[in-house]
Amino acid sequence: AFGSYVSGPPFIAASLMKIPTIIHEQNMIMGRTNRFISRFATKIALSFPQSTVIWKDNMVVTGNPIRETAARKSDREKALNLLGMAGDKFTVLVIGGSQGSRAVNSMTVAALKDMDRLLRRKIQVLHIAGEANYKRLRSEYQSIGGLSYKTYPFFEDMGIAYSVADIAISRAGASAIFELCAHMIPSILIPYPFAEGHQVKNAKFLSDRNAAVTIEEKNLSKESLKYAILRFLEDANLRDLMRKRLGNFAIPEAARKLADEVSALVGI
Protein backbone atom coordinates (compact mmCIF):
# COMPACT_ATOMS: atom_id res chain seq x y z
CA ALA A 1 0.00 0.00 0.00
CA PHE A 2 1.22 3.48 -0.91
CA GLY A 3 -1.34 5.55 0.94
CA SER A 4 -4.28 5.96 -1.42
CA TYR A 5 -7.66 5.51 0.28
CA VAL A 6 -8.51 2.71 -2.17
CA SER A 7 -5.70 0.61 -0.68
CA GLY A 8 -7.38 0.48 2.74
CA PRO A 9 -10.07 -2.21 2.30
CA PRO A 10 -7.94 -4.77 0.38
CA PHE A 11 -5.04 -4.18 2.80
CA ILE A 12 -7.23 -4.94 5.82
CA ALA A 13 -8.78 -7.93 4.05
CA ALA A 14 -5.32 -9.31 3.28
CA SER A 15 -4.31 -8.89 6.90
CA LEU A 16 -7.40 -10.74 8.12
CA MET A 17 -6.55 -13.56 5.67
CA LYS A 18 -2.99 -13.74 7.12
CA ILE A 19 -1.45 -12.52 3.86
CA PRO A 20 1.76 -10.52 4.51
CA THR A 21 1.33 -6.78 4.00
CA ILE A 22 3.69 -3.85 3.56
CA ILE A 23 3.17 -0.11 3.57
CA HIS A 24 5.46 2.37 1.88
CA GLU A 25 5.17 5.92 3.20
CA GLN A 26 6.68 8.53 0.90
CA ASN A 27 6.37 11.60 3.08
CA MET A 28 7.85 12.82 6.33
CA ILE A 29 4.47 12.51 8.02
CA MET A 30 2.30 9.46 7.47
CA GLY A 31 -0.90 10.01 5.51
CA ARG A 32 -4.36 9.33 6.92
CA THR A 33 -4.87 5.96 5.19
CA ASN A 34 -1.40 4.70 6.03
CA ARG A 35 -1.81 5.76 9.65
CA PHE A 36 -5.02 3.75 9.88
CA ILE A 37 -3.77 0.58 8.17
CA SER A 38 -0.33 0.65 9.80
CA ARG A 39 -1.76 -1.29 12.76
CA PHE A 40 -2.42 -4.21 10.39
CA ALA A 41 0.93 -4.05 8.52
CA THR A 42 3.51 -6.78 8.61
CA LYS A 43 6.15 -4.27 7.49
CA ILE A 44 6.30 -0.49 7.20
CA ALA A 45 8.83 1.06 4.81
CA LEU A 46 9.75 4.74 5.23
CA SER A 47 11.35 7.17 2.80
CA PHE A 48 12.83 9.57 5.35
CA PRO A 49 15.16 8.38 8.12
CA GLN A 50 13.79 11.14 10.36
CA SER A 51 10.13 10.49 9.51
CA THR A 52 7.79 11.88 12.16
CA VAL A 53 6.32 8.55 13.22
CA ILE A 54 6.61 6.57 16.44
CA TRP A 55 9.27 4.00 15.61
CA LYS A 56 8.22 0.36 15.72
CA ASP A 57 10.15 -2.87 15.33
CA ASN A 58 8.49 -3.62 11.97
CA MET A 59 9.71 -0.37 10.38
CA VAL A 60 12.58 -0.03 7.93
CA VAL A 61 14.00 2.93 5.98
CA THR A 62 14.18 2.18 2.25
CA GLY A 63 14.13 5.68 0.81
CA ASN A 64 11.78 6.71 -1.98
CA PRO A 65 12.13 5.01 -5.38
CA ILE A 66 12.53 7.50 -8.22
CA ARG A 67 11.85 7.11 -11.91
CA GLU A 68 14.64 5.61 -13.99
CA THR A 69 14.53 8.57 -16.41
CA ALA A 70 14.80 11.00 -13.50
CA ALA A 71 17.61 9.07 -11.83
CA ARG A 72 19.75 8.92 -14.94
CA LYS A 73 22.63 11.42 -14.90
CA SER A 74 23.95 13.00 -18.08
CA ASP A 75 27.06 14.95 -18.96
CA ARG A 76 26.21 18.61 -18.32
CA GLU A 77 27.81 19.96 -21.48
CA LYS A 78 26.08 17.39 -23.68
CA ALA A 79 22.76 18.03 -21.97
CA LEU A 80 23.11 21.80 -22.48
CA ASN A 81 23.90 21.28 -26.17
CA LEU A 82 20.92 18.96 -26.54
CA LEU A 83 18.63 21.64 -25.10
CA GLY A 84 20.28 24.48 -27.02
CA MET A 85 21.31 26.25 -23.83
CA ALA A 86 24.48 28.19 -22.99
CA GLY A 87 27.31 26.72 -20.94
CA ASP A 88 28.31 29.99 -19.27
CA LYS A 89 24.98 31.00 -17.71
CA PHE A 90 23.44 30.28 -14.33
CA THR A 91 20.73 27.72 -15.05
CA VAL A 92 17.49 27.74 -13.08
CA LEU A 93 15.26 24.68 -13.44
CA VAL A 94 11.62 25.39 -12.58
CA ILE A 95 9.35 22.41 -12.01
CA GLY A 96 5.72 23.46 -12.04
CA GLY A 97 4.47 19.89 -11.65
CA SER A 98 2.48 17.71 -14.06
CA GLN A 99 -0.73 19.63 -13.31
CA GLY A 100 1.07 22.96 -13.23
CA SER A 101 1.36 24.98 -10.04
CA ARG A 102 0.02 28.48 -10.67
CA ALA A 103 1.82 29.81 -7.58
CA VAL A 104 5.22 28.43 -8.60
CA ASN A 105 4.85 29.33 -12.27
CA SER A 106 3.46 32.84 -11.89
CA MET A 107 5.72 33.93 -9.05
CA THR A 108 8.84 32.70 -10.84
CA VAL A 109 8.03 34.87 -13.85
CA ALA A 110 7.22 37.82 -11.58
CA ALA A 111 10.55 37.43 -9.73
CA LEU A 112 12.50 37.29 -12.98
CA LYS A 113 10.72 40.35 -14.35
CA ASP A 114 11.58 42.24 -11.17
CA MET A 115 15.32 41.68 -11.64
CA ASP A 116 17.71 44.17 -13.13
CA ARG A 117 18.23 43.49 -16.85
CA LEU A 118 21.99 42.99 -16.33
CA LEU A 119 21.28 40.28 -13.76
CA ARG A 120 18.83 38.55 -16.09
CA ARG A 121 21.55 38.31 -18.72
CA LYS A 122 23.50 36.03 -16.36
CA ILE A 123 20.58 33.61 -16.04
CA GLN A 124 18.89 31.04 -18.24
CA VAL A 125 15.70 29.23 -17.29
CA LEU A 126 14.41 25.77 -18.09
CA HIS A 127 10.76 25.94 -17.04
CA ILE A 128 8.53 22.86 -17.07
CA ALA A 129 5.14 24.44 -16.56
CA GLY A 130 2.55 21.66 -16.80
CA GLU A 131 -0.09 21.50 -19.50
CA ALA A 132 -2.60 23.82 -17.81
CA ASN A 133 -0.30 26.85 -17.57
CA TYR A 134 2.01 26.35 -20.52
CA LYS A 135 0.53 28.69 -23.15
CA ARG A 136 0.00 31.57 -20.72
CA LEU A 137 3.47 31.13 -19.25
CA ARG A 138 5.16 31.07 -22.65
CA SER A 139 3.59 34.42 -23.56
CA GLU A 140 4.70 35.90 -20.22
CA TYR A 141 8.31 34.86 -20.85
CA GLN A 142 8.22 36.53 -24.25
CA SER A 143 7.66 39.85 -22.49
CA ILE A 144 10.81 39.55 -20.35
CA GLY A 145 13.80 41.29 -21.90
CA GLY A 146 17.36 40.00 -21.69
CA LEU A 147 16.47 36.53 -20.42
CA SER A 148 17.34 33.21 -22.06
CA TYR A 149 14.70 30.56 -21.45
CA LYS A 150 13.18 27.28 -22.58
CA THR A 151 9.61 26.40 -21.64
CA TYR A 152 7.91 23.01 -21.86
CA PRO A 153 4.47 21.75 -20.84
CA PHE A 154 6.05 18.40 -19.92
CA PHE A 155 9.56 16.97 -20.02
CA GLU A 156 10.00 13.24 -20.45
CA ASP A 157 13.70 12.84 -19.62
CA MET A 158 14.07 14.62 -16.29
CA GLY A 159 17.61 13.29 -15.97
CA ILE A 160 18.59 15.70 -18.76
CA ALA A 161 16.80 18.59 -17.04
CA TYR A 162 18.45 17.91 -13.70
CA SER A 163 21.87 17.60 -15.34
CA VAL A 164 21.88 21.21 -16.55
CA ALA A 165 20.50 22.82 -13.37
CA ASP A 166 22.52 24.97 -11.00
CA ILE A 167 19.44 25.35 -8.81
CA ALA A 168 15.81 24.25 -8.94
CA ILE A 169 12.51 25.85 -7.94
CA SER A 170 10.00 23.16 -7.09
CA ARG A 171 7.12 21.90 -5.01
CA ALA A 172 8.18 19.48 -2.27
CA GLY A 173 6.57 16.15 -3.02
CA ALA A 174 8.62 13.18 -1.86
CA SER A 175 9.60 12.18 -5.41
CA ALA A 176 10.87 15.69 -6.16
CA ILE A 177 12.81 15.80 -2.88
CA PHE A 178 14.61 12.52 -3.54
CA GLU A 179 15.28 13.38 -7.19
CA LEU A 180 16.89 16.66 -6.12
CA CYS A 181 18.95 14.79 -3.52
CA ALA A 182 20.04 12.20 -6.10
CA HIS A 183 21.31 14.95 -8.42
CA MET A 184 22.53 17.13 -5.52
CA ILE A 185 20.72 20.23 -6.79
CA PRO A 186 20.30 23.15 -4.36
CA SER A 187 16.68 24.17 -4.44
CA ILE A 188 14.05 26.71 -3.49
CA LEU A 189 11.14 24.61 -2.28
CA ILE A 190 7.61 26.02 -2.32
CA PRO A 191 5.56 23.29 -0.65
CA TYR A 192 1.92 22.70 -1.53
CA PRO A 193 0.16 24.07 1.55
CA PHE A 194 -2.70 21.57 1.77
CA ALA A 195 -2.91 17.73 1.98
CA GLU A 196 -2.24 17.68 5.74
CA GLY A 197 0.93 19.73 5.31
CA HIS A 198 2.95 16.78 3.97
CA GLN A 199 5.02 18.90 1.60
CA VAL A 200 5.81 21.51 4.25
CA LYS A 201 7.36 18.79 6.42
CA ASN A 202 9.21 17.32 3.42
CA ALA A 203 10.67 20.72 2.51
CA LYS A 204 11.72 21.52 6.04
CA PHE A 205 13.53 18.19 6.28
CA LEU A 206 16.06 19.71 3.86
CA SER A 207 15.94 23.38 4.82
CA ASP A 208 16.30 22.63 8.54
CA ARG A 209 19.54 20.88 7.61
CA ASN A 210 20.71 23.76 5.40
CA ALA A 211 20.32 21.65 2.26
CA ALA A 212 17.58 23.77 0.63
CA VAL A 213 15.61 26.98 1.03
CA THR A 214 11.92 26.74 1.90
CA ILE A 215 9.43 29.49 1.12
CA GLU A 216 5.96 28.60 2.31
CA GLU A 217 3.22 29.75 -0.04
CA LYS A 218 1.83 32.17 2.56
CA ASN A 219 5.22 33.93 2.48
CA LEU A 220 5.76 33.68 -1.27
CA SER A 221 6.18 36.94 -3.16
CA LYS A 222 8.19 38.11 -6.14
CA GLU A 223 10.58 39.79 -3.69
CA SER A 224 11.15 36.71 -1.52
CA LEU A 225 11.69 34.47 -4.54
CA LYS A 226 13.94 36.97 -6.31
CA TYR A 227 16.08 37.29 -3.17
CA ALA A 228 16.43 33.50 -2.92
CA ILE A 229 17.42 33.13 -6.59
CA LEU A 230 20.00 35.93 -6.39
CA ARG A 231 21.41 34.54 -3.15
CA PHE A 232 22.22 31.30 -4.97
CA LEU A 233 23.48 33.13 -8.06
CA GLU A 234 25.94 35.20 -6.06
CA ASP A 235 27.15 32.57 -3.58
CA ALA A 236 28.92 29.61 -5.17
CA ASN A 237 30.13 28.44 -1.76
CA LEU A 238 26.53 28.12 -0.58
CA ARG A 239 25.67 26.02 -3.63
CA ASP A 240 28.69 23.76 -3.09
CA LEU A 241 27.88 23.29 0.59
CA MET A 242 24.28 22.38 -0.15
CA ARG A 243 25.33 19.89 -2.84
CA LYS A 244 27.50 18.06 -0.34
CA ARG A 245 24.69 17.94 2.20
CA LEU A 246 22.15 16.76 -0.37
CA GLY A 247 24.42 13.87 -1.29
CA ASN A 248 24.13 12.61 2.29
CA PHE A 249 20.35 12.25 1.93
CA ALA A 250 20.28 10.51 -1.46
CA ILE A 251 19.24 6.85 -1.40
CA PRO A 252 19.83 5.72 -5.01
CA GLU A 253 19.16 2.07 -4.18
CA ALA A 254 15.68 2.79 -2.75
CA ALA A 255 13.80 0.75 -5.36
CA ARG A 256 15.99 -2.30 -4.71
CA LYS A 257 15.66 -1.91 -0.94
CA LEU A 258 11.87 -1.76 -1.17
CA ALA A 259 11.77 -4.71 -3.57
CA ASP A 260 13.97 -6.71 -1.20
CA GLU A 261 11.54 -6.06 1.66
CA VAL A 262 8.62 -7.26 -0.46
CA SER A 263 10.55 -10.33 -1.57
CA ALA A 264 11.49 -11.17 2.01
CA LEU A 265 7.83 -11.13 3.05
CA VAL A 266 6.94 -13.79 0.51
CA GLY A 267 10.12 -15.80 0.98
CA ILE A 268 11.72 -15.17 -2.40
Side-chain angles (χ1 to χ4, degrees), residues 42-90:
T42 311
K43 201 80 174 183
I44 300 171
L46 304 174
S47 290
F48 290 88
Q50 288 83 5
S51 183
T52 55
V53 298
I54 298 173
W55 189 266
K56 299 178 181 178
D57 290 340
N58 65 338
M59 290 180 172
V60 62
V61 175
T62 60
N64 189 71
I66 60 178
R67 299 164 292 167
E68 185 177 345
T69 53
R72 188 163 52 235
K73 297 181 181 181
S74 301
D75 178 78
R76 176 181 169 84
E77 185 175 348
K78 289 181 180 178
L80 286 167
N81 288 336
L82 181 66
L83 292 169
M85 301 181 81
D88 60 348
K89 292 197 175 190
F90 183 74

Short mmCIF file of all heavy atoms in Angstrom, two decimals, residues 42-90:
data_model
loop_
_atom_site.label_atom_id
_atom_site.label_comp_id
_atom_site.label_asym_id
_atom_site.label_seq_id
_atom_site.Cartn_x
_atom_site.Cartn_y
_atom_site.Cartn_z
N THR A 42 2.40 -5.92 8.25
CA THR A 42 3.51 -6.78 8.61
C THR A 42 4.81 -5.97 8.62
O THR A 42 5.66 -6.14 9.49
CB THR A 42 3.65 -7.94 7.60
OG1 THR A 42 2.38 -8.56 7.41
CG2 THR A 42 4.66 -8.97 8.10
N LYS A 43 4.94 -5.08 7.64
CA LYS A 43 6.15 -4.27 7.49
C LYS A 43 5.77 -2.86 7.09
O LYS A 43 4.80 -2.65 6.35
CB LYS A 43 7.07 -4.88 6.42
CG LYS A 43 8.52 -4.47 6.51
CD LYS A 43 9.24 -5.29 7.57
CE LYS A 43 10.72 -5.00 7.58
NZ LYS A 43 11.45 -5.83 8.56
N ILE A 44 6.52 -1.89 7.56
CA ILE A 44 6.30 -0.49 7.20
C ILE A 44 7.62 0.07 6.69
O ILE A 44 8.61 0.11 7.42
CB ILE A 44 5.81 0.34 8.40
CG1 ILE A 44 4.47 -0.22 8.92
CG2 ILE A 44 5.65 1.81 8.01
CD1 ILE A 44 4.02 0.40 10.23
N ALA A 45 7.63 0.49 5.42
CA ALA A 45 8.83 1.06 4.81
C ALA A 45 8.69 2.58 4.76
O ALA A 45 7.65 3.11 4.37
CB ALA A 45 9.02 0.51 3.40
N LEU A 46 9.75 3.28 5.17
CA LEU A 46 9.75 4.74 5.23
C LEU A 46 10.76 5.32 4.24
O LEU A 46 11.82 4.74 4.00
CB LEU A 46 10.11 5.21 6.64
CG LEU A 46 9.23 4.68 7.79
CD1 LEU A 46 9.82 5.11 9.14
CD2 LEU A 46 7.80 5.16 7.65
N SER A 47 10.42 6.48 3.70
CA SER A 47 11.35 7.17 2.80
C SER A 47 12.40 7.96 3.57
O SER A 47 13.57 7.96 3.22
CB SER A 47 10.58 8.12 1.88
OG SER A 47 9.82 7.40 0.94
N PHE A 48 11.95 8.66 4.62
CA PHE A 48 12.83 9.57 5.35
C PHE A 48 13.34 8.91 6.63
O PHE A 48 12.53 8.42 7.43
CB PHE A 48 12.07 10.85 5.72
CG PHE A 48 11.74 11.74 4.56
CD1 PHE A 48 10.56 11.56 3.85
CD2 PHE A 48 12.60 12.76 4.18
CE1 PHE A 48 10.24 12.38 2.79
CE2 PHE A 48 12.29 13.60 3.12
CZ PHE A 48 11.10 13.41 2.41
N PRO A 49 14.63 8.93 6.87
CA PRO A 49 15.16 8.38 8.12
C PRO A 49 14.59 9.07 9.35
O PRO A 49 14.41 8.45 10.39
CB PRO A 49 16.67 8.62 8.01
CG PRO A 49 16.94 8.80 6.56
CD PRO A 49 15.70 9.42 5.98
N GLN A 50 14.31 10.36 9.22
CA GLN A 50 13.79 11.14 10.36
C GLN A 50 12.28 11.33 10.27
O GLN A 50 11.74 12.32 10.74
CB GLN A 50 14.49 12.51 10.43
CG GLN A 50 15.94 12.43 10.88
CD GLN A 50 16.89 12.08 9.73
OE1 GLN A 50 16.48 11.99 8.58
NE2 GLN A 50 18.16 11.88 10.03
N SER A 51 11.58 10.39 9.65
CA SER A 51 10.13 10.49 9.51
C SER A 51 9.47 10.69 10.87
O SER A 51 9.88 10.10 11.87
CB SER A 51 9.59 9.22 8.86
OG SER A 51 8.21 9.31 8.64
N THR A 52 8.43 11.53 10.89
CA THR A 52 7.79 11.88 12.16
C THR A 52 6.74 10.83 12.53
O THR A 52 5.54 11.11 12.58
CB THR A 52 7.13 13.27 12.07
OG1 THR A 52 6.22 13.28 10.95
CG2 THR A 52 8.16 14.35 11.90
N VAL A 53 7.20 9.63 12.76
CA VAL A 53 6.32 8.55 13.22
C VAL A 53 6.93 7.96 14.50
O VAL A 53 8.12 8.12 14.77
CB VAL A 53 6.16 7.43 12.17
CG1 VAL A 53 5.53 7.97 10.90
CG2 VAL A 53 7.51 6.77 11.84
N ILE A 54 6.10 7.30 15.27
CA ILE A 54 6.61 6.57 16.44
C ILE A 54 7.24 5.28 15.93
O ILE A 54 6.59 4.46 15.30
CB ILE A 54 5.47 6.28 17.43
CG1 ILE A 54 4.87 7.59 17.94
CG2 ILE A 54 5.98 5.43 18.58
CD1 ILE A 54 3.63 7.41 18.79
N TRP A 55 8.53 5.13 16.18
CA TRP A 55 9.27 4.00 15.61
C TRP A 55 8.79 2.68 16.20
O TRP A 55 8.59 2.56 17.39
CB TRP A 55 10.77 4.17 15.85
CG TRP A 55 11.56 3.14 15.09
CD1 TRP A 55 12.00 1.96 15.54
CD2 TRP A 55 11.95 3.23 13.72
NE1 TRP A 55 12.66 1.28 14.55
CE2 TRP A 55 12.63 2.04 13.41
CE3 TRP A 55 11.77 4.18 12.71
CZ2 TRP A 55 13.15 1.78 12.15
CZ3 TRP A 55 12.29 3.93 11.46
CH2 TRP A 55 12.98 2.74 11.18
N LYS A 56 8.63 1.70 15.32
CA LYS A 56 8.22 0.36 15.72
C LYS A 56 9.21 -0.66 15.16
O LYS A 56 9.94 -0.38 14.21
CB LYS A 56 6.80 0.05 15.20
CG LYS A 56 5.74 0.99 15.75
CD LYS A 56 4.38 0.66 15.15
CE LYS A 56 3.30 1.61 15.67
NZ LYS A 56 1.97 1.33 15.05
N ASP A 57 9.19 -1.84 15.73
CA ASP A 57 10.15 -2.87 15.33
C ASP A 57 9.95 -3.33 13.89
O ASP A 57 10.89 -3.87 13.28
CB ASP A 57 10.05 -4.09 16.26
CG ASP A 57 10.58 -3.79 17.66
OD1 ASP A 57 11.35 -2.81 17.80
OD2 ASP A 57 10.21 -4.51 18.60
N ASN A 58 8.74 -3.15 13.35
CA ASN A 58 8.49 -3.62 11.97
C ASN A 58 8.74 -2.54 10.93
O ASN A 58 8.33 -2.66 9.78
CB ASN A 58 7.07 -4.16 11.83
CG ASN A 58 6.00 -3.08 12.02
OD1 ASN A 58 6.26 -2.05 12.63
ND2 ASN A 58 4.81 -3.34 11.51
N MET A 59 9.41 -1.46 11.32
CA MET A 59 9.71 -0.37 10.38
C MET A 59 11.11 -0.50 9.82
O MET A 59 12.03 -0.98 10.49
CB MET A 59 9.55 0.99 11.07
CG MET A 59 8.11 1.36 11.38
SD MET A 59 8.01 2.98 12.17
CE MET A 59 6.22 3.21 12.19
N VAL A 60 11.28 -0.03 8.58
CA VAL A 60 12.58 -0.03 7.93
C VAL A 60 12.65 1.19 7.01
O VAL A 60 11.64 1.60 6.44
CB VAL A 60 12.79 -1.34 7.12
CG1 VAL A 60 11.76 -1.48 6.00
CG2 VAL A 60 14.20 -1.42 6.55
N VAL A 61 13.81 1.80 6.89
CA VAL A 61 14.00 2.93 5.98
C VAL A 61 14.54 2.40 4.65
O VAL A 61 15.61 1.82 4.59
CB VAL A 61 14.98 3.97 6.57
CG1 VAL A 61 15.26 5.08 5.56
CG2 VAL A 61 14.43 4.54 7.86
N THR A 62 13.76 2.61 3.60
CA THR A 62 14.18 2.18 2.25
C THR A 62 14.52 3.36 1.35
O THR A 62 15.17 3.20 0.32
CB THR A 62 13.06 1.38 1.56
OG1 THR A 62 11.89 2.21 1.43
CG2 THR A 62 12.71 0.12 2.35
N GLY A 63 14.06 4.57 1.74
CA GLY A 63 14.13 5.68 0.81
C GLY A 63 12.94 5.65 -0.12
O GLY A 63 12.06 4.77 -0.03
N ASN A 64 12.89 6.60 -1.04
CA ASN A 64 11.78 6.71 -1.98
C ASN A 64 12.26 6.38 -3.39
O ASN A 64 13.12 7.08 -3.93
CB ASN A 64 11.21 8.12 -1.96
CG ASN A 64 9.92 8.22 -2.74
OD1 ASN A 64 8.89 7.71 -2.32
ND2 ASN A 64 9.96 8.89 -3.88
N PRO A 65 11.72 5.33 -4.00
CA PRO A 65 12.13 5.01 -5.38
C PRO A 65 11.83 6.17 -6.32
O PRO A 65 10.79 6.82 -6.21
CB PRO A 65 11.28 3.79 -5.74
CG PRO A 65 10.91 3.18 -4.42
CD PRO A 65 10.76 4.34 -3.48
N ILE A 66 12.75 6.45 -7.23
CA ILE A 66 12.53 7.50 -8.22
C ILE A 66 12.57 6.89 -9.61
O ILE A 66 13.15 5.83 -9.83
CB ILE A 66 13.54 8.65 -8.08
CG1 ILE A 66 14.99 8.15 -8.25
CG2 ILE A 66 13.38 9.35 -6.75
CD1 ILE A 66 16.03 9.27 -8.17
N ARG A 67 11.95 7.59 -10.54
CA ARG A 67 11.85 7.11 -11.91
C ARG A 67 13.24 6.91 -12.53
O ARG A 67 14.15 7.69 -12.28
CB ARG A 67 11.06 8.10 -12.76
CG ARG A 67 9.64 8.33 -12.32
CD ARG A 67 9.06 9.58 -12.96
NE ARG A 67 9.72 10.79 -12.46
CZ ARG A 67 9.60 11.99 -13.02
NH1 ARG A 67 8.85 12.14 -14.08
NH2 ARG A 67 10.22 13.04 -12.49
N GLU A 68 13.35 5.90 -13.36
CA GLU A 68 14.64 5.61 -13.99
C GLU A 68 15.09 6.79 -14.84
O GLU A 68 16.27 7.17 -14.84
CB GLU A 68 14.53 4.36 -14.86
CG GLU A 68 15.85 3.92 -15.47
CD GLU A 68 15.72 2.64 -16.26
OE1 GLU A 68 14.70 1.94 -16.13
OE2 GLU A 68 16.66 2.34 -17.03
N THR A 69 14.15 7.43 -15.56
CA THR A 69 14.53 8.57 -16.41
C THR A 69 14.97 9.75 -15.57
O THR A 69 15.81 10.55 -16.00
CB THR A 69 13.35 8.99 -17.31
OG1 THR A 69 12.19 9.23 -16.49
CG2 THR A 69 13.04 7.93 -18.34
N ALA A 70 14.41 9.90 -14.38
CA ALA A 70 14.80 11.00 -13.50
C ALA A 70 16.12 10.72 -12.79
O ALA A 70 16.87 11.63 -12.47
CB ALA A 70 13.70 11.28 -12.48
N ALA A 71 16.39 9.44 -12.54
CA ALA A 71 17.61 9.07 -11.83
C ALA A 71 18.84 9.15 -12.72
O ALA A 71 19.95 9.37 -12.24
CB ALA A 71 17.47 7.66 -11.26
N ARG A 72 18.63 8.99 -14.01
CA ARG A 72 19.75 8.92 -14.94
C ARG A 72 20.49 10.25 -15.01
O ARG A 72 19.88 11.31 -15.18
CB ARG A 72 19.23 8.53 -16.33
CG ARG A 72 20.32 8.23 -17.34
CD ARG A 72 19.76 7.46 -18.53
NE ARG A 72 18.60 8.10 -19.12
CZ ARG A 72 17.43 7.50 -19.29
NH1 ARG A 72 17.26 6.25 -18.90
NH2 ARG A 72 16.41 8.13 -19.85
N LYS A 73 21.81 10.22 -14.86
CA LYS A 73 22.63 11.42 -14.90
C LYS A 73 23.32 11.53 -16.26
O LYS A 73 23.81 10.55 -16.80
CB LYS A 73 23.66 11.42 -13.77
CG LYS A 73 23.00 11.42 -12.39
CD LYS A 73 24.02 11.44 -11.27
CE LYS A 73 23.31 11.43 -9.92
NZ LYS A 73 24.24 11.47 -8.78
N SER A 74 23.35 12.74 -16.78
CA SER A 74 23.95 13.00 -18.08
C SER A 74 25.09 13.99 -17.94
O SER A 74 25.15 14.76 -16.99
CB SER A 74 22.90 13.57 -19.05
OG SER A 74 21.83 12.70 -19.22
N ASP A 75 25.99 13.97 -18.91
CA ASP A 75 27.06 14.95 -18.96
C ASP A 75 26.45 16.34 -19.15
O ASP A 75 25.62 16.55 -20.05
CB ASP A 75 28.00 14.63 -20.12
CG ASP A 75 29.11 15.65 -20.27
OD1 ASP A 75 30.07 15.60 -19.50
OD2 ASP A 75 28.97 16.52 -21.16
N ARG A 76 26.83 17.28 -18.30
CA ARG A 76 26.21 18.61 -18.32
C ARG A 76 26.36 19.30 -19.67
O ARG A 76 25.39 19.85 -20.22
CB ARG A 76 26.81 19.48 -17.21
CG ARG A 76 26.29 20.92 -17.19
CD ARG A 76 26.95 21.73 -16.08
NE ARG A 76 26.68 23.16 -16.21
CZ ARG A 76 25.59 23.77 -15.77
NH1 ARG A 76 24.66 23.08 -15.17
NH2 ARG A 76 25.43 25.07 -15.93
N GLU A 77 27.57 19.26 -20.22
CA GLU A 77 27.81 19.96 -21.48
C GLU A 77 26.97 19.36 -22.61
O GLU A 77 26.36 20.09 -23.41
CB GLU A 77 29.30 19.89 -21.84
CG GLU A 77 29.65 20.70 -23.07
CD GLU A 77 31.15 20.72 -23.35
OE1 GLU A 77 31.93 20.31 -22.48
OE2 GLU A 77 31.52 21.16 -24.46
N LYS A 78 26.89 18.03 -22.64
CA LYS A 78 26.08 17.39 -23.68
C LYS A 78 24.61 17.70 -23.50
O LYS A 78 23.88 17.92 -24.49
CB LYS A 78 26.31 15.87 -23.64
CG LYS A 78 27.68 15.43 -24.12
CD LYS A 78 27.82 13.92 -24.07
CE LYS A 78 29.20 13.48 -24.56
NZ LYS A 78 29.38 12.00 -24.46
N ALA A 79 24.16 17.73 -22.24
CA ALA A 79 22.76 18.03 -21.97
C ALA A 79 22.42 19.47 -22.38
O ALA A 79 21.36 19.73 -22.94
CB ALA A 79 22.45 17.81 -20.49
N LEU A 80 23.32 20.40 -22.09
CA LEU A 80 23.11 21.80 -22.48
C LEU A 80 23.03 21.93 -24.00
O LEU A 80 22.17 22.64 -24.54
CB LEU A 80 24.23 22.68 -21.93
CG LEU A 80 24.19 22.98 -20.43
CD1 LEU A 80 25.52 23.57 -19.97
CD2 LEU A 80 23.05 23.93 -20.08
N ASN A 81 23.92 21.24 -24.70
CA ASN A 81 23.90 21.28 -26.17
C ASN A 81 22.61 20.69 -26.71
O ASN A 81 22.04 21.21 -27.68
CB ASN A 81 25.11 20.51 -26.73
CG ASN A 81 26.42 21.26 -26.53
OD1 ASN A 81 26.43 22.47 -26.38
ND2 ASN A 81 27.52 20.53 -26.51
N LEU A 82 22.16 19.61 -26.10
CA LEU A 82 20.92 18.96 -26.54
C LEU A 82 19.74 19.91 -26.41
O LEU A 82 18.85 19.94 -27.28
CB LEU A 82 20.68 17.70 -25.71
CG LEU A 82 19.43 16.88 -26.04
CD1 LEU A 82 19.56 16.28 -27.44
CD2 LEU A 82 19.24 15.77 -25.01
N LEU A 83 19.74 20.71 -25.34
CA LEU A 83 18.63 21.64 -25.10
C LEU A 83 18.83 22.99 -25.79
O LEU A 83 17.93 23.84 -25.76
CB LEU A 83 18.48 21.87 -23.59
CG LEU A 83 18.00 20.66 -22.79
CD1 LEU A 83 18.13 20.93 -21.29
CD2 LEU A 83 16.55 20.34 -23.14
N GLY A 84 20.00 23.20 -26.39
CA GLY A 84 20.28 24.48 -27.02
C GLY A 84 20.46 25.60 -26.02
O GLY A 84 20.05 26.74 -26.25
N MET A 85 21.11 25.27 -24.89
CA MET A 85 21.31 26.25 -23.83
C MET A 85 22.80 26.56 -23.68
O MET A 85 23.65 25.76 -24.07
CB MET A 85 20.72 25.73 -22.51
CG MET A 85 19.24 25.43 -22.59
SD MET A 85 18.51 24.86 -21.03
CE MET A 85 18.27 26.44 -20.20
N ALA A 86 23.10 27.72 -23.11
CA ALA A 86 24.48 28.19 -22.99
C ALA A 86 25.21 27.50 -21.84
O ALA A 86 24.60 27.13 -20.83
CB ALA A 86 24.50 29.70 -22.77
N GLY A 87 26.52 27.35 -21.98
CA GLY A 87 27.31 26.72 -20.94
C GLY A 87 27.85 27.69 -19.91
O GLY A 87 28.38 27.27 -18.88
N ASP A 88 27.72 28.99 -20.16
CA ASP A 88 28.31 29.99 -19.27
C ASP A 88 27.26 30.79 -18.49
O ASP A 88 27.57 31.84 -17.94
CB ASP A 88 29.19 30.94 -20.06
CG ASP A 88 28.42 31.70 -21.15
OD1 ASP A 88 27.27 31.31 -21.43
OD2 ASP A 88 28.97 32.66 -21.71
N LYS A 89 26.03 30.29 -18.44
CA LYS A 89 24.98 31.00 -17.71
C LYS A 89 24.50 30.18 -16.52
O LYS A 89 24.59 28.95 -16.51
CB LYS A 89 23.80 31.33 -18.63
CG LYS A 89 24.14 32.37 -19.69
CD LYS A 89 22.90 32.97 -20.30
CE LYS A 89 23.28 34.10 -21.27
NZ LYS A 89 22.10 34.87 -21.70
N PHE A 90 24.00 30.88 -15.54
CA PHE A 90 23.44 30.28 -14.33
C PHE A 90 22.07 29.71 -14.69
O PHE A 90 21.17 30.44 -15.10
CB PHE A 90 23.33 31.34 -13.25
CG PHE A 90 22.83 30.84 -11.92
CD1 PHE A 90 23.66 30.09 -11.10
CD2 PHE A 90 21.55 31.13 -11.48
CE1 PHE A 90 23.21 29.65 -9.86
CE2 PHE A 90 21.10 30.70 -10.25
CZ PHE A 90 21.94 29.95 -9.44
#
